[in-house]
Amino acid sequence: MTRTAPPVARALRLGLTALLAALLAGSLAPAPATAAAHSPAAARKDLPGNSPNRTGGKDYYLDATNGRDDAAGTSPRTAWRTLARANATAFAPGDRILLKAGEQWHDEQLWPKGSGSAGRPITISAYGDPSARRPYIATNGKVPSPFKADGTKNPETVGLTGAIVLRNQQYFEIDHVELSNDDDFATDITTGSYVRDGIAVSINADLLEPGADSVMDHFRVTDVHVHDLDGPSTWQKIHYGGVNFQVFGSRSYKEYGTGGHHFRDVRIEHNTFVNVELHAVQFAFNWFAADGRDAGQYDESGKFHEGWEQLWVRTRDLYSRDVHISHNYAESIGQGAFQFANSKHMTAEYNEVNGFLERYDAVSCGLYLWAGADSVMQYNEVYGGPDNEYDGTPWDLEYTNFNVTYQFNYSHDNAAGWMAYMGNSSNSVARYNLSVNDNGVLVKNMLSTNYSPTYFVNNTFVYDGADLDHVHDETFLSRVYFLNNIFYNTSKTEPTPWYRRTGALRQAVFSNNDYFEAGGVHSGQEPADKAGLRADPRFAGDPAKYVTGAGVDRIRKSAAHFALRADSPLIDAGRYNPHLGTEDFLGTHVYHGEAPDIGMAERRAGKKVRNPVDIDPIEEEGDGRVNLALGKPATASSTHPGANGTLGAVNLTDGDPATRWAAADDAAYPITLDVDFGADTTFDEVYLDEYTDSGTNPRVRTFELQRWDAGAGAWATFASGADGIGHDLSVTGFGAVTTARLRVALTGQQPSEVYTPTLTEVAVYRGGA
Ligand SMILES: [Ca+2]
Ligand SMILES: [Ca+2]
Ligand SMILES: [Ca+2]
Ligand SMILES: [Ca+2]
């Protein structure tokens, strides 16, 4: 069977064409003044290397002009000259490697040997004149190739591609340096084979001694300026970037055990990245033979995952953890600016992205985590996203994520939309975010079902309906709640285009949202929302004059432009749900007054409700219709024995679209699914849902619906279909049928399919559509 390609290749699956020319536009533009404004150098105090060593080791000095490699290296007067001299040294815990400010090292990498220890890290930093330029390592592309002659990855040299390199080393702190790694700043590399990092930190599983510690602890990267990293515009099966944490292993993940091979306790703060490819900051596994035939596995719900989906990171506890990425500025980034994978307990906050996916011809996003867990992205500002079809959204709820929240983020002027959304995740939440002029698609894709509902709550969307493609461009495959959001369309001519596919929003529940159309005309596609409003929110500021360029440290002030005025009809017009969290974008407690407000800012109006309770859970509302098959015993003529026995017929009547029955691989047609109501039951609609996922196609071509005729002692057909079942099929038109037992007889397979059927639900209704 075919399944979805990994994120980097999704564009190919989606049939998109290369837009290389568009990607290249602007790639060589000089760095705007904003880069300088964000440079920490402007406010630099004394350099750390001018103060005594407080980590208990020795200090070593490097001076590219006046140093001598045969000197002792232990004082500014006896400084070494070359990075090669430092690279030949095994440093001890607490040692510092101090580079002289104003000096430059060309065509060299810095790869000091040794590791620090708890409380005694090895430091790479600067000394000398605080007003001089940071010590600058311009490696100029002089790095080993991570590939063999045949193009495959070389286990000996992967991870050695940085201006600064650390491999199987730990307890390092790096600050106050400037790095670049390109052979020609004036020419953008678009093809060929080049891998160049700023700081390359790797775990190379193949080079660790047997039994050695494979968890690398404690890294700090602070006040580093990385610019001009260049490489081709296509995926080389290896990540590179400004600060790149990567785990390499040439064999299957199954051979590397559990619980190891990750980074722990990492802080990357106050750095700048300008004109950098692929990423500003990156975390991921690489390789681990996850593409092999046997790399896949079943999860607890019976869903199969191919190796690239990296469920194995979760089941084997290989996540990097305790990662904090904050106050970094990224400008003109080739691919995804902040791309995090395989991490848990990660916080990414106050990062600013000014242009991403500028020189790359496959999908990516501005700031995102995938195959991660228990992480939060907040107070980030992303703008200047590309006008192309490679996802290109500032944010991405991505794939194989567990408990990942986007909150308090401000995105604006991203031509591709707001949020990419892949599925295969549990407890995804996007709340109290502000999106302005992110046209394209607001919630983009959905390639797989999820394990639990997704919550889009209290977001404020301000867009131009004439420029917006759709609110959603595919079909929500699992339950999605949209609560308390503002959909504010500034177009006076085009009402909001909600979807592209009929039935796209069937799994989406809209409640207490505000739908504002500047043109006064609402689209026929607008979702039903009994508690919703169609009112002008009465924002504090003019929506057309939203704040840009204020810097991410002032993100709340920028967002406050879209707070509600005292006379807003949206005050107390929302509904409480625990997924709202505890505060809004501006730090105001959720909630005050009779109810939460609609949008990303709660007004302090009315009494503060200290411990809100959801007395009217929307999750229990359903659609007002009673599924008469819910919880009734179901049996199947054939059941797949795999996935630890989790594919039974009981899943057909449990009301949960995330659970499913599957026939055995050798099941013979007709395959029958029987529901026993226990007593005569009357219905006029039967709902059937084939499990359709990324790469799992509908398999049933013909079927019959039969009632048990107790008098005749036989099954009697009352409806049939010859055009398949697929996703979300309601069968009606047979009048009212009364029977104690329903049989769904699957009688024939789609001619193009070799796999046997799998369905998530059989439901029956009376008085239905
Ligand atoms: Ca170049
Ligand atoms: Ca390039
Ligand atoms: Ca309120
Ligand atoms: Ca089910």
Side-chain angles (χ1 to χ4, degrees):
M1 77 187 82
T2 58
R3 288 179 184 274
T4 311
V8 289
R10 281 197 307 254
L12 299 175
R13 177 178 172 78
L14 295 171
L16 304 176
T17 54
L19 293 171
L20 202 54
L23 288 169
L24 294 175
S27 64
L28 300 174
T34 46
H38 286 272
S39 170
R44 191 186 299 161
K45 298 173 186 159
D46 198 11
L47 296 171
N50 295 337
S51 300
N53 184 323
R54 294 189 180 88
T55 50
K58 284 186 186 169
D59 286 347
Y60 295 87
Y61 297 81
L62 282 99
D63 180 338
T65 304
N66 297 314
R68 288 189 354 254
D69 282 353
D70 59 357
T74 50
S75 72
R77 289 182 174 207
T78 62
W80 295 332
R81 187 183 192 95
T82 68
L83 303 181
R85 181 66 185 85
N87 296 347
T89 302
F91 293 89
D95 286 354
R96 298 196 300 179
I97 302 154
L98 302 172
L99 307 177
K100 188 176 180 182
E103 295 294 319
Q104 300 189 12
W105 288 262
H106 283 264
D107 304 318
E108 278 199 282
Q109 305 175 276
L110 175 59
W111 182 12
K113 308 307 185 293
S115 280
S117 62
R120 302 183 71 194
I122 294 172
T123 299
I124 297 170
S125 187
Y127 75 99
D129 179 359
S131 65
R133 182 177 179 168
R134 284 184 192 76
Y136 175 30
I137 300 174
T139 302
N140 298 330
K142 301 288 195 301
V143 297
S145 170
F147 304 111
K148 297 178 187 171
D150 67 359
T152 61
K153 279 177 275 198
N154 183 343
E156 301 291 328
T157 57
V158 291
L160 304 186
T161 44
I164 294 178
V165 169
L166 298 173
R167 184 175 76 184
N168 293 342
Q169 293 165 273
Q170 56 185 335
Y171 295 102
F172 265 86
E173 301 191 354
I174 303 171
D175 62 79
H176 292 88
V177 293
E178 177 181 343
L179 309 172
S180 68
N181 203 345
D182 187 10
D183 52 347
D184 177 359
F185 288 5
T187 305
D188 177 36
I189 294 169
T190 59
T191 59
S193 174
Y194 304 92
V195 177
R196 297 157 172 184
D197 298 289
I199 298 173
V201 183
S202 64
I203 295 172
N204 187 317
D206 297 327
L207 300 181
L208 282 169
E209 295 294 324
D213 180 11
S214 65
V215 177
M216 298 299 154
D217 266 291
H218 187 93
F219 296 88
R220 301 287 182 268
V221 178
T222 313
D223 192 19
V224 172
H225 179 42
V226 185
H227 58 92
D228 295 288
L229 304 183
D230 201 359
S233 310
T234 52
W235 177 233
Q236 300 181 88
K237 297 186 175 179
I238 194 165
H239 291 281
Y240 54 101
V243 175
N244 185 14
F245 282 77
Q246 204 156 196
V247 183
F248 296 102
S250 64
R251 292 172 285 149
S252 165
Y253 64 84
K254 294 173 184 175
E255 297 184 45
Y256 295 111
T258 62
H261 297 101
H262 59 262
F263 302 100
R264 183 169 60 195
D265 180 21
V266 183
R267 298 184 76 92
I268 300 170
E269 305 171 284
H270 296 282
N271 305 287
T272 65
F273 305 90
V274 176
N275 201 24
V276 159
E277 299 175 3
L278 294 169
H279 317 285
V281 180
Q282 200 281 145
F283 274 75
F285 272 89
N286 191 270
W287 218 346
F288 268 57
D291 296 330
R293 275 177 74 90
D294 302 322
Q297 59 190 129
Y298 287 95
D299 67 19
E300 57 266 33
S301 75
K303 189 169 174 177
F304 183 79
H305 300 262
E306 291 198 343
W308 66 261
E309 298 179 43
Q310 299 192 333
L311 184 70
W312 46 270
V313 173
R314 181 173 186 79
T315 55
R316 303 173 83 85
D317 194 27
L318 303 178
Y319 290 120
S320 285
R321 61 205 66 187
D322 307 330
V323 177
H324 189 79
I325 317 279
S326 74
H327 294 93
N328 299 289
Y329 175 78
E331 179 180 302
S332 184
I333 304 302
Q335 208 218 77
F338 293 92
Q339 190 204 259
F340 312 126
N342 317 132
S343 297
K344 70 176 182 181
H345 304 147
M346 166 179 274
T347 304
E349 60 183 11
Y350 296 102
N351 299 291
E352 184 170 346
V353 178
N354 177 3
F356 61 95
L357 202 45
E358 295 197 349
R359 297 174 296 280
Y360 198 72
D361 59 358
V363 291
S364 194
C365 298
L367 184 154
Y368 64 108
L369 169 65
W370 81 284
D374 309 324
S375 294
V376 178
M377 267 65 75
Q378 60 186 6
Y379 308 116
N380 301 288
E381 184 174 350
V382 176
Y383 50 96
D387 186 5
N388 64 35
E389 294 180 85
Y390 299 121
D391 287 2
T393 49
W395 325 110
D396 186 358
L397 276 168
E398 260 294 338
Y399 210 77
T400 322
N401 270 337
F402 295 79
N403 307 316
V404 170
T405 296
Y406 282 85
Q407 60 185 8
F408 322 139
N409 297 291
Y410 178 26
S411 53
H412 54 89
D413 306 293
N414 294 288
W418 176 65
M419 177 73 78
Y421 180 54
M422 299 297 125
N424 201 37
S425 293
S426 179
N427 197 28
S428 297
V429 179
R431 62 188 175 205
Y432 292 98
N433 299 288
L434 173 63
S435 164
V436 183
N437 200 32
D438 293 332
N439 297 314
V441 179
L442 290 188
V443 180
K444 200 168 196 173
N445 298 330
M446 179 154 187
L447 302 178
S448 174
T449 55
N450 283 321
Y451 302 111
S452 66
T454 297
Y455 290 81
F456 293 100
V457 294
N458 285 91
N459 302 289
T460 296
F461 302 106
V462 179
Y463 50 85
D464 176 359
D467 203 15
L468 190 76
D469 295 336
H470 303 95
V471 174
H472 182 51
D473 61 338
E474 293 293 335
T475 300
F476 288 121
L477 300 178
S478 298
R479 180 67 76 219
V480 179
Y481 291 104
F482 287 89
L483 312 178
N484 310 341
N485 301 286
I486 298 174
F487 296 96
Y488 188 105
N489 180 6
T490 60
S491 172
K492 292 193 165 60
T493 57
E494 297 291 329
T496 302
W498 282 87
Y499 53 81
R500 183 167 65 100
R501 298 179 184 277
T502 302
L505 305 183
R506 193 174 294 178
Q507 293 274 9
V509 175
F510 289 79
S511 185
N512 298 74
N513 301 284
D514 181 48
Y515 309 84
F516 175 77
E517 298 285 350
V521 177
H522 292 255
S523 160
Q525 293 189 337
E526 188 176 286
D529 184 343
K530 275 182 281 190
L533 298 177
R534 287 180 164 184
D536 183 337
R538 298 194 57 77
F539 291 127
D542 178 352
K545 296 176 181 166
Y546 56 99
V547 181
T548 64
V552 75
D553 287 333
R554 286 175 288 280
I555 193 169
R556 277 180 167 169
K557 200 172 174 202
S558 301
H561 192 81
F562 291 92
L564 304 176
R565 296 182 192 216
D567 59 350
S568 169
L570 276 55
I571 293 168
D572 290 359
R575 67 186 293 158
Y576 179 71
N577 180 286
H579 292 88
L580 268 58
T582 58
E583 63 180 48
D584 74 357
F585 199 150
L586 309 183
T588 302
H589 172 80
V590 170
Y591 60 92
H592 293 253
E594 296 299 312
D597 304 351
I598 298 175
M600 59 88 217
E602 173 78 10
R603 223 183 142 81
R604 288 187 179 88
K607 195 163 178 268
K608 182 175 182 175
V609 180
R610 291 192 181 276
N611 296 299
V613 176
D614 186 7
I615 55 169
D616 180 24
I618 194 162
E619 294 84 353
E620 294 173 11
E621 267 180 23
D623 56 6
R625 301 194 302 160
V626 178
N627 171 13
L628 300 167
L630 186 64
K632 301 298 182 189
T635 53
S637 62
S638 169
T639 295
H640 199 285
N644 301 318
T646 57
L647 298 172
V650 65
N651 294 333
L652 291 169
T653 51
D654 65 355
D656 182 354
T659 62
R660 64 186 173 109
W661 156 87
D665 292 339
D666 61 352
Y669 287 83
I671 300 165
T672 58
L673 308 173
D674 295 352
V675 178
D676 187 348
F677 301 113
D680 270 352
T681 298
T682 302
F683 54 87
D684 53 20
E685 176 185 351
V686 176
Y687 168 88
L688 304 171
D689 183 49
E690 275 194 271
Y691 175 77
T692 50
D693 200 30
S694 51
T696 304
N697 302 315
R699 288 155 184 175
V700 178
R701 174 72 173 273
T702 57
F703 66 94
E704 294 184 10
L705 300 182
Q706 301 171 337
R707 63 181 172 82
W708 179 246
D709 185 335
W715 292 100
T717 297
F718 61 86
S720 61
D723 293 327
I725 294 176
H727 189 51
D728 268 351
L729 178 69
S730 282
V731 183
T732 56
F734 50 79
V737 163
T738 300
T739 181
R741 292 163 69 193
L742 167 69
R743 169 166 283 184
V744 180
L746 310 177
T747 53
Q749 186 150 305
Q750 295 285 6
S752 56
E753 282 296 313
V754 296
Y755 294 96
T756 52
T758 175
L759 274 73
T760 70
E761 283 291 300
V762 174
V764 305
Y765 301 98
R766 180 168 196 186

